Amino acid sequence: MNVSVSGTGYVGLIQGVGLAKKGHSVTCVDIDRAKVESINAGVPPIYEDGLKELLAEVRKNGFKATDDIRQAVLNSDITFVCVGTPSSRHGEIKLHQVRQVAREIGEVLREKDYHVVVIKSTVVPGTTEGMIELLEEHSGKSYPKDFGVAMNPEFLREGSALDDFFSPDRVVIGSTDKRTRDLIRKLYEGFDCEVVETNFREAEMIKYASNALLATKLSFINEVGNVCKRMGIDTNVVAKGVGLDHRIGPKFLRAGLGFGGSCFPKDVSALMHKATESGYYPRVLRAVLDVNRDQPGKLLYLLDNKLGSLSGKRIAILGLTFKENTDDVRESPSLTIIKDLLMEHADLVLFDPMGMPAVMQLFPQLQYAQSAQHAVHGADAVLLLTEWPQFQDVDYGDVYVLDGKNVFNTKDRRPKNYEGICW
Ligand code: UGA
């Protein structure tokens, strides 16, 4: 099938390269010329395990990027909208990018026979219906007679996005039009998973409810962890015992500093905002965000207790990204901790296998080590703030190690002078 993908962030680029690998003819579109050139030169603008190699492979078969949305839509049967939906200060999502792309696609549809537009950006319930109105207004045509529209949420995790793309747990196709659904089903033929057909709002809500439930699991285990810590109970042993119940499952029960990244904080806030707007105040979601916001403070409390005044103390921070296997530092709890430690005049040395370039732009005045081992040398305390497995191999000697991300999940191999945030 001929596919165009608008937006080359995590979602769009993985979707484009993934579908190209599945044999479709794909063109990715972005307004950012630098990104387009980078993709066409074989250099992905984001880091994702295996992406560079796969990009090289699919480029040989015609995969390309362009900033010309008109040509991309004209030459394709289906367009995925994968542009960003950033948060406002109040937590609601901003839709200007999705709207702009819908307008542009609408104009192109004037010159085109049947075409399917699929919203893949994470958007709150009701948004896709609004996009149909925009498409009709700008194309002069009508849904579903002249063009199809669907909502097809993504469930990719950064760091394992390609695996998630090729082995999804489910594909959700939200549309009120059978012709559209059939076309998307055909596109995803060969994926070994259940396909869930829904209307637009159900598909939009499945995405939010999934992320909100995972975030709830995390704040829940962190709350249990905070109680366990006070009572001298090892939260990890508790999480293991709880997770063996097949109704609960072992995943997303690793307690720690809380969740970061570009999705959970933003999506839970957006769902809260939408719920409140609809007249319902979501108490569980509020608590999920509150617990998450306070978690870095728990780590700082333990550090204060151990070192007394932090002024002039040398603190090694290992881990800057919001999780392992990514260079993404958006909403990373590390950033909150760095700011707080700077207010206490601590002497910081930072290390992360992939996140240093991004943090250097935010804190150019700080010291960055060439390795985790170098950072630890001469430190009064070490903070483990990302779950990079290689931090298990550092020789910490006698230095106090405070683990915020469950790097040392089990008791074996823990450093001599070790403490966990909630275990
Ligand atoms: C998340 C979802 O897992 C994806 O399904 C979804 O598609 C994506 O958001 C999105 O909406 O785009 P992601 O943000 O990449 O994916 O990362 P996760 O692996 O879910 O981790 C989120 C945060 O939770 C990280 O800070 C991680 O360190 C933390 N976490 C995760 C824990 O603290 N404990 C755990 O047991 C698991």
Side-chain angles (χ1 to χ4, degrees):
M1 217 176 278
N2 292 323
V3 179
S4 55
V5 179
S6 169
T8 61
Y10 276 94
V11 178
L13 195 54
I14 301 289
Q15 177 78 0
V17 170
L19 286 176
K21 169 74 183 171
K22 284 280 190 186
H24 299 286
S25 167
V26 182
T27 302
C28 278
V29 187
D30 207 293
I31 50 169
D32 184 338
R33 265 228 71 83
K35 278 192 184 174
V36 167
E37 279 165 19
S38 174
I39 294 166
N40 285 336
V43 182
I46 50 160
Y47 173 78
E48 191 59 44
D49 203 19
L51 182 57
K52 195 168 194 296
E53 295 73 12
L54 192 56
L55 177 59
E57 188 186 324
V58 296
R59 279 179 64 234
K60 287 191 201 131
N61 300 328
F63 171 90
K64 58 182 183 308
T66 176
D67 60 357
D68 185 347
I69 191 163
R70 183 172 169 273
Q71 281 307 324
V73 173
L74 281 177
N75 294 319
S76 57
D77 312 302
I78 182 164
T79 302
F80 284 89
V81 177
C82 303
V83 294
T85 51
S87 284
S88 77
R89 269 193 310 127
H90 308 292
E92 80 205 283
I93 55 167
K94 295 196 215 158
L95 290 171
H96 57 279
Q97 294 184 45
V98 183
R99 284 206 191 100
Q100 180 57 23
V101 169
R103 281 186 211 108
E104 288 172 12
I105 296 173
E107 294 298 333
V108 186
L109 294 190
R110 285 184 180 277
E111 322 167 38
K112 198 168 188 287
D113 289 340
Y114 191 77
H115 191 85
V116 169
V117 180
V118 186
I119 308 291
K120 208 162 180 64
S121 303
T122 298
V123 292
V124 290
T127 307
T128 304
E129 288 157 34
M131 293 306 128
I132 294 177
E133 284 169 26
L134 266 185
L135 286 164
E136 287 185 329
E137 185 188 325
H138 286 265
S139 64
K141 297 190 169 176
S142 51
Y143 166 85
K145 185 170 66 69
D146 306 316
F147 63 88
V149 173
M151 205 286 141
N152 171 226
E154 61 86 19
F155 302 103
L156 311 173
R157 288 163 301 170
E158 284 184 29
S160 48
L162 285 172
D163 282 348
D164 290 346
F165 179 85
F166 291 112
S167 311
D169 289 335
R170 74 296 210 189
V171 166
V172 176
I173 305 173
S175 183
T176 48
D177 174 42
K178 183 167 178 325
R179 184 174 175 190
T180 305
R181 288 197 303 268
D182 289 349
L183 191 93
I184 300 174
R185 256 188 190 274
K186 194 158 183 295
L187 186 80
Y188 286 119
E189 232 166 41
F191 283 81
D192 183 20
C193 69
E194 194 161 325
V195 175
V196 184
E197 291 192 356
T198 68
N199 65 26
F200 300 116
R201 289 177 185 220
E202 287 157 355
E204 290 162 331
M205 192 53 128
I206 286 172
K207 165 70 187 190
Y208 277 99
S210 300
N211 272 4
L213 182 56
L214 290 168
T216 304
K217 227 176 157 183
L218 292 178
S219 277
F220 177 81
I221 196 65
N222 288 340
E223 183 149 280
V224 169
N226 294 339
V227 178
C228 285
K229 181 79 184 173
R230 285 164 180 265
M231 300 178 72
I233 298 169
D234 189 333
T235 313
N236 291 323
V237 176
V238 174
K240 184 165 182 208
V242 171
L244 285 169
D245 185 323
H246 72 275
R247 293 167 303 174
I248 298 172
K251 297 198 175 137
F252 276 73
L253 286 181
R254 212 183 54 238
L257 266 180
F259 52 81
S262 64
C263 305
F264 285 173
K266 169 171 104 82
D267 292 351
V268 179
S269 299
L271 182 55
M272 261 206 74
H273 191 275
K274 197 69 195 168
T276 311
E277 207 179 71
S278 78
Y280 177 81
Y281 184 73
R283 285 165 291 176
V284 173
L285 299 182
R286 179 70 269 159
V288 167
L289 291 176
D290 287 348
V291 169
N292 197 55
R293 183 201 54 217
D294 292 350
Q295 223 39 24
K298 306 275 182 250
L299 183 108
L300 292 167
Y301 174 78
L302 293 172
L303 185 65
D304 271 337
N305 264 359
K306 188 75 181 178
L307 297 190
S309 162
L310 298 180
S311 178
K313 295 275 165 57
R314 190 162 174 82
I315 314 287
I317 294 191
L318 302 191
L320 302 171
T321 53
F322 83 98
K323 67 179 209 182
E324 80 284 23
N325 289 333
T326 178
D327 59 358
D328 196 343
V329 301
R330 284 177 290 177
E331 299 287 324
S332 172
S334 276
L335 301 180
T336 309
I337 288 174
I338 291 171
K339 282 182 206 146
D340 285 351
L341 289 175
L342 288 176
M343 300 238 285
E344 298 204 41
H345 306 290
D347 173 21
L348 303 183
V349 53
L350 276 45
F351 176 76
D352 188 282
M354 301 202 60
M356 290 201 288
V359 176
M360 274 174 195
Q361 301 204 348
L362 303 170
F363 300 103
Q365 78 282 19
L366 296 181
Q367 246 189 77
Y368 295 83
Q370 356 166 341
S371 69
Q373 196 64 64
H374 277 93
V376 167
H377 185 74
D380 294 300
V382 176
L383 305 182
L384 301 178
L385 304 186
T386 308
E387 56 273 52
W388 289 103
Q390 52 266 54
F391 292 160
Q392 292 175 356
D393 302 326
V394 174
D395 178 3
Y396 293 99
D398 290 327
V399 67
Y400 171 62
V401 178
L402 181 50
D403 188 353
K405 276 289 190 149
N406 233 323
V407 172
F408 292 94
N409 197 256
T410 54
K411 287 210 169 76
D412 37 291
R413 297 186 67 207
R414 280 183 180 165
K416 255 188 260 169
N417 192 359
Y418 172 89
E419 183 167 18
I421 176 174
C422 38
W423 55 93

